[in-house]
Amino acid sequence: MDMPRNVFKQLLQQQRLQIGLFVGLANAYSMEILATAGFDWLLIDGEHAPNNPATVLSQLQAAAAYPVQLAVRPVNHDAALIKQYLDIGAQTLLVPMVETAAEATALVRAVRYPPQGIRGVAASVVRAAHWGGIKDYARRANEEICLIVQIESRQGLANLDAIMTVEGVDAAFIGPADLAASMGYLGESGHAEVIVATEAALTRIAATGKAAGVFVTDPLLARHYRNCGASFIAVGGDTSLLRNAALKLASSFRER
Ligand code: 3PY
Ligand code: MG
């Protein structure tokens, strides 16, 4: 068996538009439904959803049969947790709250085998390497892993250029909710100043030749961010989709 290519990483390098969804239901069956829905990429969220390596594994397995790219968001920068996600087969990680080049460098080291990094080696017993079936896994893994850093604070913005120069950072994704909070606008991710900061950040990221991403649910603003340089755009989350559809259905059958 050949090393599986990370198609998401290739598409990010081309800065081709890719529409994604955040997946927080933490469930393999609903993940499989979403995998059939036509999104380019799905993010299994381990930051704000009740996920762990076991639930992430079942979602990776559920979506594997479908032509959709998958990313996993760990809850923090813990190299041990990152190792587990890579070993179960996540090839793309979206890591929250990256604020300095030193943090980005540590993350690059966490996703790479030695000597470039510190990822523990056990290729013959992990799903990512087909339990030894992918003979050149240990040699090729570093190049197929895609590291996306999330920029979502004032400090992250201040250090954006330095973060983007870190070799091994493949892309950066703006998180407007945390960015708004960091700018003093908690709960106001649509605040004009947050939008201006996001526009500038997307432009700066794209200018480095690396892919820029953002979470935005408003189609017009999404189009605007695309024009600013965003190429991978998360347009919503499954929990909101379910709740909104449920609210609408319930209310539509109430007697007025
Ligand atoms: C944020 O907005 O803070 C995110 O992490 C993703 O949208
Ligand atoms: Mg965030």
Side-chain angles (χ1 to χ4, degrees), residues 22 73 150 152 175-178 215:
F22 277 33
R73 177 160 76 169
Q150 257 195 281
E152 44 186 351
D178 280 302
F215 184 95

PDB file of all heavy atoms in Angstrom, residues 22 73 150 152 175-178 215, ligand 1:
ATOM      1  N   PHE A  22     -17.744  22.939  10.351  1.00  0.00           N
ATOM      2  CA  PHE A  22     -17.262  22.467  11.646  1.00  0.00           C
ATOM      3  C   PHE A  22     -18.209  21.376  12.151  1.00  0.00           C
ATOM      4  O   PHE A  22     -19.430  21.542  12.103  1.00  0.00           O
ATOM      5  CB  PHE A  22     -17.232  23.620  12.661  1.00  0.00           C
ATOM      6  CG  PHE A  22     -15.990  24.476  12.584  1.00  0.00           C
ATOM      7  CD1 PHE A  22     -15.344  24.716  11.392  1.00  0.00           C
ATOM      8  CD2 PHE A  22     -15.463  25.049  13.739  1.00  0.00           C
ATOM      9  CE1 PHE A  22     -14.202  25.498  11.329  1.00  0.00           C
ATOM     10  CE2 PHE A  22     -14.321  25.836  13.694  1.00  0.00           C
ATOM     11  CZ  PHE A  22     -13.681  26.070  12.487  1.00  0.00           C
ATOM     12  N   ARG A  73      -9.360  19.273  14.973  1.00  0.00           N
ATOM     13  CA  ARG A  73      -8.896  20.361  15.835  1.00  0.00           C
ATOM     14  C   ARG A  73      -8.682  19.824  17.244  1.00  0.00           C
ATOM     15  O   ARG A  73      -9.645  19.485  17.935  1.00  0.00           O
ATOM     16  CB  ARG A  73      -9.914  21.509  15.856  1.00  0.00           C
ATOM     17  CG  ARG A  73      -9.497  22.628  16.786  1.00  0.00           C
ATOM     18  CD  ARG A  73     -10.181  23.940  16.474  1.00  0.00           C
ATOM     19  NE  ARG A  73     -11.573  24.013  16.904  1.00  0.00           N
ATOM     20  CZ  ARG A  73     -12.273  25.140  16.921  1.00  0.00           C
ATOM     21  NH1 ARG A  73     -11.726  26.281  16.529  1.00  0.00           N
ATOM     22  NH2 ARG A  73     -13.541  25.137  17.309  1.00  0.00           N
ATOM     23  N   GLN A 150      -4.393  28.344  14.003  1.00  0.00           N
ATOM     24  CA  GLN A 150      -5.491  29.301  14.140  1.00  0.00           C
ATOM     25  C   GLN A 150      -4.966  30.580  14.763  1.00  0.00           C
ATOM     26  O   GLN A 150      -4.323  30.553  15.824  1.00  0.00           O
ATOM     27  CB  GLN A 150      -6.589  28.715  15.021  1.00  0.00           C
ATOM     28  CG  GLN A 150      -7.784  28.232  14.222  1.00  0.00           C
ATOM     29  CD  GLN A 150      -8.982  28.008  15.094  1.00  0.00           C
ATOM     30  OE1 GLN A 150      -9.052  26.977  15.759  1.00  0.00           O
ATOM     31  NE2 GLN A 150      -9.909  28.937  15.100  1.00  0.00           N
ATOM     32  N   GLU A 152      -6.254  33.849  16.407  1.00  0.00           N
ATOM     33  CA  GLU A 152      -7.533  34.298  16.961  1.00  0.00           C
ATOM     34  C   GLU A 152      -7.351  35.140  18.216  1.00  0.00           C
ATOM     35  O   GLU A 152      -8.136  35.033  19.158  1.00  0.00           O
ATOM     36  CB  GLU A 152      -8.468  33.112  17.197  1.00  0.00           C
ATOM     37  CG  GLU A 152      -7.829  31.899  17.844  1.00  0.00           C
ATOM     38  CD  GLU A 152      -8.775  30.703  17.928  1.00  0.00           C
ATOM     39  OE1 GLU A 152      -9.967  30.834  17.645  1.00  0.00           O
ATOM     40  OE2 GLU A 152      -8.295  29.627  18.303  1.00  0.00           O
ATOM     41  N   GLY A 175     -10.034  32.803  13.564  1.00  0.00           N
ATOM     42  CA  GLY A 175     -11.217  32.475  14.364  1.00  0.00           C
ATOM     43  C   GLY A 175     -11.855  33.756  14.874  1.00  0.00           C
ATOM     44  O   GLY A 175     -11.370  34.352  15.838  1.00  0.00           O
ATOM     45  N   PRO A 176     -12.928  34.213  14.228  1.00  0.00           N
ATOM     46  CA  PRO A 176     -13.486  35.525  14.570  1.00  0.00           C
ATOM     47  C   PRO A 176     -14.073  35.605  15.985  1.00  0.00           C
ATOM     48  O   PRO A 176     -14.053  36.691  16.583  1.00  0.00           O
ATOM     49  CB  PRO A 176     -14.599  35.728  13.533  1.00  0.00           C
ATOM     50  CG  PRO A 176     -14.330  34.741  12.455  1.00  0.00           C
ATOM     51  CD  PRO A 176     -13.620  33.598  13.093  1.00  0.00           C
ATOM     52  N   ALA A 177     -14.565  34.516  16.522  1.00  0.00           N
ATOM     53  CA  ALA A 177     -15.190  34.593  17.852  1.00  0.00           C
ATOM     54  C   ALA A 177     -14.144  34.905  18.917  1.00  0.00           C
ATOM     55  O   ALA A 177     -14.311  35.831  19.727  1.00  0.00           O
ATOM     56  CB  ALA A 177     -15.911  33.277  18.169  1.00  0.00           C
ATOM     57  N   ASP A 178     -13.061  34.156  18.901  1.00  0.00           N
ATOM     58  CA  ASP A 178     -12.005  34.422  19.890  1.00  0.00           C
ATOM     59  C   ASP A 178     -11.288  35.730  19.589  1.00  0.00           C
ATOM     60  O   ASP A 178     -10.894  36.445  20.513  1.00  0.00           O
ATOM     61  CB  ASP A 178     -11.012  33.250  19.932  1.00  0.00           C
ATOM     62  CG  ASP A 178     -11.556  32.111  20.762  1.00  0.00           C
ATOM     63  OD1 ASP A 178     -11.850  32.324  21.953  1.00  0.00           O
ATOM     64  OD2 ASP A 178     -11.717  31.007  20.224  1.00  0.00           O
ATOM     65  N   PHE A 215     -13.676  31.390   9.482  1.00  0.00           N
ATOM     66  CA  PHE A 215     -15.034  30.916   9.770  1.00  0.00           C
ATOM     67  C   PHE A 215     -15.979  32.078   9.530  1.00  0.00           C
ATOM     68  O   PHE A 215     -15.832  33.143  10.152  1.00  0.00           O
ATOM     69  CB  PHE A 215     -15.120  30.447  11.238  1.00  0.00           C
ATOM     70  CG  PHE A 215     -16.442  29.844  11.611  1.00  0.00           C
ATOM     71  CD1 PHE A 215     -16.626  28.469  11.560  1.00  0.00           C
ATOM     72  CD2 PHE A 215     -17.516  30.640  12.004  1.00  0.00           C
ATOM     73  CE1 PHE A 215     -17.843  27.896  11.893  1.00  0.00           C
ATOM     74  CE2 PHE A 215     -18.734  30.080  12.334  1.00  0.00           C
ATOM     75  CZ  PHE A 215     -18.897  28.701  12.286  1.00  0.00           C
TER      76      PHE A 215
HETATM   77  C1  3PY B   1     -13.370  31.203  16.506  1.00  0.00           C
HETATM   78  O1  3PY B   1     -14.135  31.906  15.838  1.00  0.00           O
HETATM   79  O2  3PY B   1     -12.863  31.562  17.571  1.00  0.00           O
HETATM   80  C2  3PY B   1     -13.014  29.867  16.040  1.00  0.00           C
HETATM   81  O3  3PY B   1     -12.255  29.197  16.664  1.00  0.00           O
HETATM   82  C3  3PY B   1     -13.585  29.323  14.794  1.00  0.00           C
HETATM   83  O4  3PY B   1     -14.518  29.975  14.249  1.00  0.00           O
END
